[in-house]
Short mmCIF file of all heavy atoms in Angstrom, two decimals:
data_model
loop_
_atom_site.label_atom_id
_atom_site.label_comp_id
_atom_site.label_asym_id
_atom_site.label_seq_id
_atom_site.Cartn_x
_atom_site.Cartn_y
_atom_site.Cartn_z
N GLN W 829 43.12 -21.73 -12.93
CA GLN W 829 42.75 -20.62 -12.06
C GLN W 829 42.92 -21.14 -10.57
O GLN W 829 42.98 -20.23 -9.68
CB GLN W 829 41.41 -20.08 -12.40
CG GLN W 829 41.13 -19.49 -13.71
CD GLN W 829 39.83 -19.49 -14.14
OE1 GLN W 829 38.95 -20.26 -13.77
NE2 GLN W 829 39.44 -18.61 -15.08
N ILE W 856 44.68 -18.75 -8.19
CA ILE W 856 45.59 -18.14 -8.98
C ILE W 856 45.03 -16.75 -9.43
O ILE W 856 45.64 -15.71 -9.54
CB ILE W 856 45.94 -19.04 -10.24
CG1 ILE W 856 46.39 -20.37 -9.60
CG2 ILE W 856 47.16 -18.37 -10.96
CD1 ILE W 856 47.63 -20.64 -8.84
N SER W 857 43.81 -16.96 -10.02
CA SER W 857 43.13 -15.76 -10.64
C SER W 857 41.71 -15.97 -10.40
O SER W 857 41.13 -17.06 -10.00
CB SER W 857 43.38 -15.57 -12.20
OG SER W 857 42.89 -16.51 -12.93
N ASP W 858 40.82 -14.95 -10.84
CA ASP W 858 39.40 -15.07 -10.51
C ASP W 858 38.84 -16.17 -11.34
O ASP W 858 39.31 -16.38 -12.43
CB ASP W 858 38.85 -13.82 -10.70
CG ASP W 858 38.65 -13.40 -12.18
OD1 ASP W 858 39.80 -13.00 -12.60
OD2 ASP W 858 37.56 -13.39 -12.68
N PHE W 859 37.68 -16.79 -10.87
CA PHE W 859 37.21 -18.07 -11.54
C PHE W 859 35.74 -18.00 -11.32
O PHE W 859 35.19 -17.35 -10.43
CB PHE W 859 37.81 -19.28 -10.98
CG PHE W 859 37.54 -19.59 -9.48
CD1 PHE W 859 36.66 -20.39 -9.10
CD2 PHE W 859 38.37 -18.97 -8.57
CE1 PHE W 859 36.22 -20.55 -7.82
CE2 PHE W 859 38.05 -19.09 -7.24
CZ PHE W 859 37.05 -19.97 -6.81
N VAL W 860 35.04 -18.90 -12.16
CA VAL W 860 33.51 -18.92 -12.12
C VAL W 860 33.08 -20.41 -11.60
O VAL W 860 32.31 -20.46 -10.84
CB VAL W 860 32.99 -18.66 -13.49
CG1 VAL W 860 31.46 -18.83 -13.58
CG2 VAL W 860 33.31 -17.22 -13.93
N LEU W 886 34.50 -17.97 -5.50
CA LEU W 886 35.32 -16.88 -5.63
C LEU W 886 35.35 -16.14 -4.34
O LEU W 886 36.25 -15.60 -3.75
CB LEU W 886 34.91 -15.96 -6.77
CG LEU W 886 35.81 -14.82 -7.03
CD1 LEU W 886 37.16 -15.27 -7.19
CD2 LEU W 886 35.24 -14.09 -8.32
N GLN W 906 34.29 5.93 -8.18
CA GLN W 906 35.34 5.53 -9.07
C GLN W 906 34.89 4.32 -9.97
O GLN W 906 35.43 4.08 -11.04
CB GLN W 906 36.60 5.26 -8.28
CG GLN W 906 37.30 6.56 -7.93
CD GLN W 906 38.36 6.11 -6.78
OE1 GLN W 906 38.64 4.96 -6.44
NE2 GLN W 906 39.01 7.26 -6.20
N LEU W 907 34.13 3.43 -9.37
CA LEU W 907 33.65 2.31 -10.16
C LEU W 907 32.40 2.49 -10.79
O LEU W 907 31.36 1.80 -10.83
CB LEU W 907 33.48 1.21 -9.19
CG LEU W 907 34.79 0.82 -8.50
CD1 LEU W 907 34.39 -0.30 -7.45
CD2 LEU W 907 35.79 0.13 -9.31
N ALA W 909 31.91 2.85 -14.31
CA ALA W 909 31.65 2.29 -15.61
C ALA W 909 30.57 1.30 -15.62
O ALA W 909 30.48 0.52 -14.67
CB ALA W 909 32.92 1.91 -16.21
N PRO W 910 29.81 1.31 -16.71
CA PRO W 910 28.59 0.39 -16.80
C PRO W 910 29.05 -0.99 -16.49
O PRO W 910 28.26 -1.83 -15.95
CB PRO W 910 28.03 0.68 -18.13
CG PRO W 910 28.63 1.93 -18.63
CD PRO W 910 29.93 2.12 -17.83
N GLN W 911 30.15 -1.45 -17.03
CA GLN W 911 30.41 -3.00 -16.96
C GLN W 911 30.97 -3.26 -15.64
O GLN W 911 31.12 -4.48 -15.34
CB GLN W 911 31.46 -3.28 -18.13
CG GLN W 911 32.85 -2.74 -18.02
CD GLN W 911 32.91 -1.45 -18.73
OE1 GLN W 911 31.89 -0.64 -18.94
NE2 GLN W 911 34.19 -0.94 -18.93
N GLN W 912 31.26 -2.38 -14.86
CA GLN W 912 31.86 -2.49 -13.46
C GLN W 912 30.55 -2.77 -12.52
O GLN W 912 30.82 -3.20 -11.33
CB GLN W 912 32.57 -1.36 -13.02
CG GLN W 912 33.91 -1.35 -13.70
CD GLN W 912 34.73 -0.17 -13.40
OE1 GLN W 912 34.13 0.96 -13.00
NE2 GLN W 912 36.04 -0.25 -13.40
N GLU W 913 29.48 -2.48 -12.89
CA GLU W 913 28.32 -2.69 -12.11
C GLU W 913 27.33 -3.76 -12.51
O GLU W 913 27.11 -3.90 -13.74
CB GLU W 913 27.60 -1.34 -11.92
CG GLU W 913 26.38 -1.43 -10.85
CD GLU W 913 25.46 -0.26 -10.87
OE1 GLU W 913 25.81 0.69 -10.22
OE2 GLU W 913 24.27 -0.43 -11.52
N VAL W 914 26.86 -4.51 -11.76
CA VAL W 914 25.78 -5.40 -11.93
C VAL W 914 24.73 -5.17 -10.86
O VAL W 914 24.90 -5.01 -9.71
CB VAL W 914 26.25 -6.85 -11.93
CG1 VAL W 914 25.14 -7.86 -11.96
CG2 VAL W 914 27.16 -7.13 -12.93
N ILE W 957 39.01 -9.27 -3.12
CA ILE W 957 39.29 -10.64 -3.35
C ILE W 957 40.65 -10.79 -3.72
O ILE W 957 41.34 -9.90 -4.50
CB ILE W 957 38.55 -10.91 -4.82
CG1 ILE W 957 36.95 -10.70 -4.51
CG2 ILE W 957 38.85 -12.30 -5.29
CD1 ILE W 957 36.20 -11.91 -4.32
N THR W 959 43.67 -12.97 -5.03
CA THR W 959 44.18 -14.17 -5.93
C THR W 959 45.66 -13.96 -6.00
O THR W 959 46.16 -12.82 -5.73
CB THR W 959 43.52 -14.17 -7.41
OG1 THR W 959 44.04 -13.08 -8.02
CG2 THR W 959 42.05 -13.91 -7.26
N THR W 961 47.42 -13.55 -8.68
CA THR W 961 47.83 -12.54 -9.73
C THR W 961 47.25 -11.32 -9.41
O THR W 961 48.06 -10.28 -9.68
CB THR W 961 47.43 -13.12 -11.11
OG1 THR W 961 46.01 -13.58 -10.93
CG2 THR W 961 48.21 -14.23 -11.64
N ILE W 962 46.02 -11.02 -9.08
CA ILE W 962 45.45 -9.88 -8.91
C ILE W 962 44.68 -9.72 -7.58
O ILE W 962 44.26 -10.74 -7.03
CB ILE W 962 44.58 -9.42 -10.14
CG1 ILE W 962 43.49 -10.48 -10.30
CG2 ILE W 962 45.22 -9.09 -11.33
CD1 ILE W 962 42.25 -10.02 -10.97
N GLN W 963 44.34 -8.45 -7.20
CA GLN W 963 43.34 -8.31 -6.07
C GLN W 963 42.25 -7.47 -6.68
O GLN W 963 42.43 -6.53 -7.44
CB GLN W 963 44.04 -7.56 -4.94
CG GLN W 963 45.21 -8.37 -4.40
CD GLN W 963 45.66 -7.94 -3.13
OE1 GLN W 963 45.14 -6.76 -2.65
NE2 GLN W 963 46.58 -8.56 -2.45
N VAL W 964 41.03 -7.71 -6.32
CA VAL W 964 39.87 -7.09 -6.84
C VAL W 964 39.03 -6.42 -5.76
O VAL W 964 38.57 -7.30 -4.91
CB VAL W 964 39.00 -7.90 -7.74
CG1 VAL W 964 37.91 -7.23 -8.40
CG2 VAL W 964 39.92 -8.70 -8.77
N GLY W 965 38.96 -5.17 -5.62
CA GLY W 965 38.06 -4.52 -4.66
C GLY W 965 36.57 -4.71 -5.05
O GLY W 965 36.34 -4.60 -6.30
N CYS W 966 35.78 -4.79 -3.95
CA CYS W 966 34.27 -5.04 -4.35
C CYS W 966 33.47 -4.26 -3.47
O CYS W 966 33.80 -4.21 -2.15
CB CYS W 966 34.07 -6.56 -4.21
SG CYS W 966 32.30 -6.76 -4.20
N LEU W 967 32.60 -3.53 -3.96
CA LEU W 967 31.58 -2.84 -3.14
C LEU W 967 30.20 -3.30 -3.35
O LEU W 967 29.83 -3.58 -4.47
CB LEU W 967 31.58 -1.42 -3.38
CG LEU W 967 32.96 -0.63 -3.24
CD1 LEU W 967 32.85 0.78 -3.70
CD2 LEU W 967 33.49 -0.70 -1.93
N LEU W 983 26.28 -4.49 -7.17
CA LEU W 983 27.74 -4.82 -6.97
C LEU W 983 28.62 -3.99 -7.86
O LEU W 983 28.28 -3.83 -9.03
CB LEU W 983 27.88 -6.29 -7.20
CG LEU W 983 27.75 -7.14 -6.10
CD1 LEU W 983 27.41 -8.59 -6.66
CD2 LEU W 983 29.15 -7.25 -5.33
N ARG W 984 29.71 -3.42 -7.28
CA ARG W 984 30.59 -2.78 -8.20
C ARG W 984 32.05 -3.39 -7.92
O ARG W 984 32.38 -3.29 -6.73
CB ARG W 984 30.50 -1.29 -8.02
CG ARG W 984 29.32 -0.67 -8.56
CD ARG W 984 29.46 0.75 -8.57
NE ARG W 984 28.33 1.41 -9.03
CZ ARG W 984 28.08 2.81 -9.19
NH1 ARG W 984 29.11 3.51 -9.00
NH2 ARG W 984 26.99 3.23 -9.89
N THR W 985 32.71 -3.87 -8.86
CA THR W 985 34.16 -4.16 -8.74
C THR W 985 34.91 -3.73 -10.08
O THR W 985 34.22 -3.35 -10.99
CB THR W 985 34.29 -5.81 -8.62
OG1 THR W 985 34.23 -6.31 -10.00
CG2 THR W 985 33.30 -6.33 -7.81
N SER W 986 36.10 -3.78 -9.96
CA SER W 986 36.87 -3.28 -11.13
C SER W 986 36.85 -4.29 -12.21
O SER W 986 37.37 -4.01 -13.41
CB SER W 986 38.42 -2.98 -10.67
OG SER W 986 38.84 -4.00 -10.02
N ARG W 987 36.51 -5.40 -11.98
CA ARG W 987 36.47 -6.54 -13.08
C ARG W 987 35.14 -7.02 -13.43
O ARG W 987 34.38 -7.47 -12.44
CB ARG W 987 37.39 -7.72 -12.71
CG ARG W 987 38.76 -7.69 -13.27
CD ARG W 987 39.43 -8.85 -12.55
NE ARG W 987 39.63 -9.91 -13.62
CZ ARG W 987 40.70 -10.09 -14.33
NH1 ARG W 987 41.65 -9.18 -14.32
NH2 ARG W 987 40.69 -10.98 -15.36
N GLU W 988 34.83 -7.06 -14.56
CA GLU W 988 33.48 -7.34 -15.06
C GLU W 988 33.10 -8.82 -14.63
O GLU W 988 32.05 -9.06 -14.10
CB GLU W 988 33.28 -7.16 -16.59
CG GLU W 988 31.94 -7.27 -17.01
CD GLU W 988 31.81 -7.09 -18.57
OE1 GLU W 988 32.86 -6.83 -19.24
OE2 GLU W 988 30.76 -7.24 -18.93
N SER W 989 33.99 -9.74 -14.94
CA SER W 989 33.81 -11.16 -14.66
C SER W 989 33.57 -11.42 -13.07
O SER W 989 32.62 -12.10 -12.67
CB SER W 989 34.75 -11.98 -15.08
OG SER W 989 36.16 -11.61 -14.56
N VAL W 990 34.33 -10.66 -12.39
CA VAL W 990 34.08 -10.80 -10.88
C VAL W 990 32.79 -10.29 -10.49
O VAL W 990 32.17 -10.97 -9.71
CB VAL W 990 35.30 -10.07 -10.22
CG1 VAL W 990 35.21 -10.17 -8.76
CG2 VAL W 990 36.63 -10.60 -10.48
N THR W 991 32.40 -9.17 -10.92
CA THR W 991 31.15 -8.59 -10.44
C THR W 991 30.01 -9.58 -10.79
O THR W 991 29.13 -9.69 -10.01
CB THR W 991 30.87 -7.24 -11.34
OG1 THR W 991 32.20 -6.46 -11.54
CG2 THR W 991 29.87 -6.35 -10.58
N GLN W 992 30.03 -10.02 -12.11
CA GLN W 992 29.08 -10.99 -12.51
C GLN W 992 28.88 -12.10 -11.60
O GLN W 992 27.94 -12.52 -11.15
CB GLN W 992 29.37 -11.37 -13.88
CG GLN W 992 28.18 -11.91 -14.66
CD GLN W 992 27.14 -10.76 -14.90
OE1 GLN W 992 27.39 -9.70 -15.29
NE2 GLN W 992 25.88 -11.07 -14.43
N ARG W 993 30.13 -12.71 -11.38
CA ARG W 993 30.16 -13.96 -10.63
C ARG W 993 29.64 -13.69 -9.07
O ARG W 993 28.89 -14.55 -8.74
CB ARG W 993 31.53 -14.62 -10.62
CG ARG W 993 31.70 -15.84 -9.80
CD ARG W 993 30.77 -17.00 -10.27
NE ARG W 993 30.93 -18.14 -9.55
CZ ARG W 993 30.01 -19.07 -9.43
NH1 ARG W 993 28.88 -18.95 -10.11
NH2 ARG W 993 30.14 -20.30 -8.75
N LEU W 994 30.14 -12.68 -8.57
CA LEU W 994 29.76 -12.36 -7.14
C LEU W 994 28.26 -12.13 -7.09
O LEU W 994 27.72 -12.58 -6.23
CB LEU W 994 30.55 -11.22 -6.66
CG LEU W 994 32.08 -11.43 -6.39
CD1 LEU W 994 32.80 -10.23 -5.92
CD2 LEU W 994 32.31 -12.70 -5.41
N SER W 995 27.84 -11.32 -8.14
CA SER W 995 26.40 -11.11 -8.04
C SER W 995 25.43 -12.34 -8.17
O SER W 995 24.63 -12.50 -7.46
CB SER W 995 25.99 -10.08 -9.18
OG SER W 995 24.66 -9.91 -9.45
#
Side-chain angles (χ1 to χ4, degrees):
Chain W
Q829 296 161 334
I856 312 291
S857 68
D858 66 290
F859 62 95
V860 175
L886 184 56
Q906 282 164 4
L907 297 171
Q911 68 273 17
Q912 291 173 328
E913 182 189 280
V914 170
I957 300 263
T959 73
T961 46
I962 52 160
Q963 297 195 353
V964 184
C966 168
L967 305 174
L983 264 158
R984 288 187 179 187
T985 80
S986 49
R987 260 177 104 93
E988 191 178 357
S989 56
V990 174
T991 325
Q992 198 64 53
R993 178 62 180 153
L994 292 177
S995 167

